[in-house]
Amino acid sequence: MNLKRTFGAVLTVLGIVGLIYTAVSFVQHSADVRTAIVIGVLGVIFFFTGISLVRTTKDEA
């Protein structure tokens, strides 16, 4: 497996975790709004960067 694809998968998982944390904190009103927005934006960036790396990297045997 290519290193870029592995890194893309890790970034995708981190993005999903960030988005889930943001959604839960907004629903429960448990976190500071500024912190939740920052984590949400970073989650979106990580998610789309990871998806892009996985999609554009070719498999080489």
Side-chain angles (χ1 to χ4, degrees):
M1 191 168 179
N2 199 346
L3 185 63
K4 284 185 182 179
R5 286 197 126 188
T6 305
F7 188 61
V10 169
L11 283 176
T12 304
V13 170
L14 284 175
I16 291 170
V17 168
L19 291 173
I20 290 173
Y21 175 78
T22 303
V24 169
S25 67
F26 272 130
V27 168
Q28 293 180 350
H29 303 291
S30 63
D32 184 28
V33 175
R34 186 177 299 162
T35 304
I37 290 173
V38 168
I39 292 175
V41 168
L42 286 175
V44 167
I45 291 171
F46 283 2
F47 180 74
F48 285 114
T49 303
I51 292 294
S52 176
L53 271 175
V54 170
R55 287 185 60 182
T56 59
T57 305
K58 304 281 187 214
D59 277 334
E60 297 175 0

